[in-house]
């Protein structure tokens, strides 16, 4: 498969499900992987914000990498997010991801808040030089509290030849500015659950990395757009938009209701929450049941 084909389309981000004793649930992980394959996803992603990566231990993050790669068996391209506090730790984690089968990795900024842009560029550049294979950065200042400007992204691309992808998390208007500024030097994905997917594709995004809860609907949007039928793409997006709006109110909403929606559609029991920031309400669960009924089961 060519690089342009591997780095394009809909890459569902897997949720992390937990068993009653608080340990990771491998059955739920495998169920998600099989849904991605059956639902004609273009790739699979794991350990992003929807995976609650920052709430997992180092050992749990490695376990998620190993289980996902094993369940996928190279049937689809695999992207793994790397979250570690130091350059050395990110290099080690990225190399492990590559060894188990990742086609590319997505580097998150180190924890700690407002890292100056020059230091962040240096951090990513040193990690990139240390791994030597294709990587993206997650540029999501609204969610992570830190990110690069378009100028900073361009500087990183000049310094690091294997920086070939970008995972943005922003409005289509802003993503279009980044795509234009990169002038073809980077392959750009957006996230935000697929919000504005059709306009993101019009802006030049290669694809979307949403959570898995309604990825099958987004596959239809992407397929229609790539065959040149923008009217069908817009219609397919309009049908799934109420679901995206409901689960993407905030990261906490996604982890509470988006994961619960995925569980319903996958035939899994209600998820056990590790992050207790937002508690589901009876009204919210009623909305969820209605939306799940509208979508039907995942493949």
């Amino acid at each position: 498969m060519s690089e342009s084909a591997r780095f394009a389309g809909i890459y569902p981000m897997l949720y992390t499900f937990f068993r009653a004793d608080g340990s990771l649930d491998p059955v739920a992980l495998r169920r998600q992987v099989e849904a991605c394959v059956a639902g004609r996803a273009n790739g699979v992603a794991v350990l992003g914000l929807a995976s609650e990566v920052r709430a997992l231990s180092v050992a749990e993050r490695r376990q998620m990498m190993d289980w996902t790669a094993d369940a996928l068996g190279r049937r689809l391209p695999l992207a793994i997010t790397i979250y570690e506090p130091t350059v050395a730790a990110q290099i080690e984690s990225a190399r492990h991801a590559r060894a188990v089968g990742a086609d590319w990795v997505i580097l998150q900024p180190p924890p700690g808040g407002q890292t100056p842009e020059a230091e962040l560029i240096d951090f990513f550049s040193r990690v990139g030089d240390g791994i030597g294979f294709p990587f993206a950065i997650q540029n999501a200042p609204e969610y992570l509290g830190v990110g690069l400007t378009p100028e900073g992204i361009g500087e990183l691309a000049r310094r690091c030849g294997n920086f070939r992808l970008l995972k943005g998390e922003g409005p289509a208007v802003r993503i279009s500015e980044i795509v234009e500024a990169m002038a073809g030097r980077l392959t750009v994905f957006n996230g935000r659950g697929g919000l504005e997917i059709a306009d993101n594709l019009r802006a030049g995004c290669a694809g979307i990395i949403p959570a898995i809860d309604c990825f099958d609907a987004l596959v239809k949007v992407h397929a229609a757009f790539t065959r040149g039928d923008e009217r069908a793409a817009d219609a397919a997006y309009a049908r799934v938009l109420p679901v995206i709006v409901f689960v993407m109110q905030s990261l906490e909403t996604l982890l509470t209701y988006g994961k619960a929606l995925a569980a319903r559609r996958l035939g899994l029991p209600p998820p056990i929450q590790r992050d207790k920031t937002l508690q589901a309400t009876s009204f919210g669960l009623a909305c969820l049941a209605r939306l799940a009924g509208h979508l039907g089961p995942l493949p």
Side-chain angles (χ1 to χ4, degrees):
M1 184 184 294
S2 68
E3 182 170 298
S4 60
R6 283 189 296 135
F7 301 159
I10 307 301
Y11 272 69
M13 181 64 70
L14 307 184
Y15 287 109
T16 301
F17 286 90
F18 303 99
R19 294 183 287 204
D21 64 359
S23 62
L24 303 179
D25 185 343
V27 174
L29 182 68
R30 185 171 290 272
R31 187 80 58 87
Q32 292 180 88
V33 170
E34 294 304 327
C36 290
V37 175
R40 299 182 181 277
N42 302 96
V44 171
V46 70
L47 290 181
L49 295 175
S51 308
E52 299 174 75
V53 63
R54 297 190 167 206
L56 303 179
S57 68
V58 173
E60 287 174 327
R61 292 196 288 272
R62 293 294 177 90
Q63 189 71 82
M64 289 289 287
M65 291 184 194
D66 296 351
W67 283 348
T68 304
D70 180 67
L72 188 58
R74 298 187 183 274
R75 289 176 289 173
L76 293 172
L78 174 61
I80 295 178
T81 300
I82 304 300
Y83 166 73
E84 301 293 347
T86 67
V87 169
Q90 287 215 359
I91 290 173
E92 181 183 2
S93 184
R95 287 176 176 173
H96 181 83
R98 185 68 161 181
V100 300
D103 292 86
W104 48 291
V105 294
I106 305 168
L107 308 182
Q108 282 196 357
Q114 298 297 322
T115 306
E117 182 166 73
E119 292 182 19
L120 196 54
I121 292 170
D122 183 65
F123 180 93
F124 286 138
S125 181
R126 290 165 61 199
V127 175
D129 289 344
I131 61 178
F133 57 84
F135 75 91
I137 65 168
Q138 182 164 14
N139 204 51
E142 293 89 346
Y143 295 106
L144 300 175
V146 64
L148 297 181
T149 63
E151 294 76 18
I153 294 169
E155 174 61 23
L156 179 60
R158 285 187 288 272
R159 289 176 55 176
C160 206
N162 55 327
F163 171 44
R164 298 214 291 270
L165 304 102
L166 178 74
K167 183 181 186 291
E169 297 281 358
V173 170
R174 189 164 76 244
I175 290 295
S176 71
E177 294 170 353
I178 293 174
V179 172
E180 184 177 358
M182 292 305 101
R185 286 178 291 169
L186 292 179
T187 298
V188 179
F189 283 78
N190 205 351
R192 297 209 304 162
L195 194 64
E196 298 183 290
I197 176 175
D199 283 335
N200 279 298
L201 297 174
R202 291 185 180 101
C205 284
I208 302 292
I209 304 179
I212 193 176
D213 41 75
C214 58
F215 87 90
D216 50 331
L218 301 177
V219 167
K220 294 176 182 178
V221 177
H222 181 263
F225 191 90
T226 53
R227 69 173 180 263
D229 192 346
E230 293 190 28
R231 180 175 294 181
D234 287 335
Y237 171 57
R239 286 192 291 273
V240 74
L241 181 57
V243 183
I244 299 173
V245 170
F246 178 75
V247 301
M248 288 304 298
Q249 299 292 327
S250 66
L251 180 58
E252 292 76 21
T253 306
L254 178 67
L255 295 177
T256 299
Y257 292 108
K259 187 194 285 193
L261 176 61
R264 278 177 174 265
R265 300 193 68 209
L266 289 162
L268 296 170
I272 296 169
Q273 286 183 252
R274 178 174 287 187
D275 182 351
K276 305 290 187 180
T277 305
L278 180 66
Q279 294 296 314
T281 68
S282 57
F283 178 78
L285 292 173
C287 292
L288 183 75
R290 174 173 47 81
L291 293 170
H294 171 69
L295 292 173
L298 278 165

